[in-house]
Amino acid sequence: AAGVIQSPRHLIKEKRETATLKCYPIPRHDTVYWYQQGPGQDPQFLISFYEKMQSDKGSIPDRFSAQQFSDYHSELNMSSLELGDSALYFCASSPDRSTDTQYFGPGTRLTVL
Amino acid sequence: GENVEQHPSTLSVQEGDSAVIKCTYSDSASNYFPWYKQELGKGPQLIIDIRSNVGEKKDQRIAVTLNKTAKHFSLHITETQPEDSAVYFCAASLMNTGFQKLVFGTGTRLLVSP
């Protein structure tokens, strides 16, 4: 079965640079969630989208922004990168907003030097 | 907001033994409780979930129990195998509200020795 696709899988950036992470949900899933997982920590919710509209927001820095496109893929844009942004970034998708089950992608490992 | 506590942080068992991981949550309105298994370098994989209208659910060697009154839920793995070794996360969320972000516990590193 098709799973959530994330790209790139690994990304290395310098401080103050910009990064864009992409998420392609499972086909026919219209709800996307972004999570950040620091080393040895649990995933922390950043932001979610339903039908191309932001539906909920967590502890996402103002330097980060995200959107969902007409084909339901989502992009997380991160500017003025800091060392502390180094983490695994996961995208999860659900069939719709009323469905509780979230399926996670393999993640993007961002390293900020 | 919701807060989820998870214990133990590490658990070592012998192959064939049972493993139990416990979580407590703070928001009595939470109504959906999934468990995820995360292997090194991979994304969390849903292994079982339970909703607040059910007290217990079983899937082969894995079972989850929920006590709404005490606000705690547990994962039970029987006949553990080395391939069960991973980090396990419990989570809680509010279903059917449009705000179904998952709040995770801090994780349990399970090591199953042959």
Side-chain angles (χ1 to χ4, degrees), chain B residues 1 7 13 18 20 22 27-28 34-35 40 45-46 50-51 60 63 66-67 69 72-73 75 78 101 103 113:
Chain B
H7 300 281
V13 300
S18 294
V20 180
K22 299 181 178 182
D27 189 346
S28 57
W35 286 88
L40 193 61
Q45 177 191 2
L46 179 70
I50 192 167
R51 293 164 181 81
Q60 299 182 351
L66 171 65
N67 184 325
T69 303
H72 67 69
F73 55 113
L75 177 71
T78 58
K101 63 183 179 187
V103 178
S113 302

Side-chain angles (χ1 to χ4, degrees), chain A residues 9 33 35 37 40-45 48 55-58 88 90 94 96-107 109, chain B residues 31-32 34 36 38 40-46 49 51 89 93-107 109:
Chain A
R9 294 294 312 279
Y33 303 82
Y35 293 85
Q37 185 178 32
Q41 298 180 359
D42 55 287
Q44 296 288 318
F45 171 73
S48 62
S55 59
D56 197 5
K57 200 170 182 180
L88 273 167
F90 291 106
S94 286
D96 56 60
R97 193 168 63 164
S98 63
T99 303
D100 40 48
T101 308
Q102 295 183 26
Y103 301 91
F104 281 74
R109 181 176 294 280
Chain B
N31 53 16
Y32 174 65
Y36 286 87
Q38 187 175 26
L40 193 61
K42 296 185 178 181
Q45 177 191 2
L46 179 70
D49 56 14
R51 293 164 181 81
F89 289 99
S93 80
L94 283 166
M95 207 170 64
N96 289 330
T97 62
F99 301 99
Q100 284 139 220
K101 63 183 179 187
L102 292 172
V103 178
F104 286 86
T106 49
R109 183 173 300 278

Side-chain angles (χ1 to χ4, degrees), chain B residues 62-76:
Chain B
I62 295 174
V64 58
T65 59
L66 171 65
N67 184 325
K68 286 190 297 182
T69 303
K71 291 189 285 188
H72 67 69
F73 55 113
S74 300
L75 177 71
H76 304 252

Side-chain angles (χ1 to χ4, degrees), chain A residues 3 7 14 29 36 44 48 52 56 65 67 72 79 101 113:
Chain A
S7 68
E14 299 279 342
H29 283 199
Q36 178 191 58
Q44 296 288 318
S48 62
K52 303 176 281 290
D56 197 5
S65 65
Q67 57 183 321
Y72 298 111
S79 63
T101 308
L113 302 176

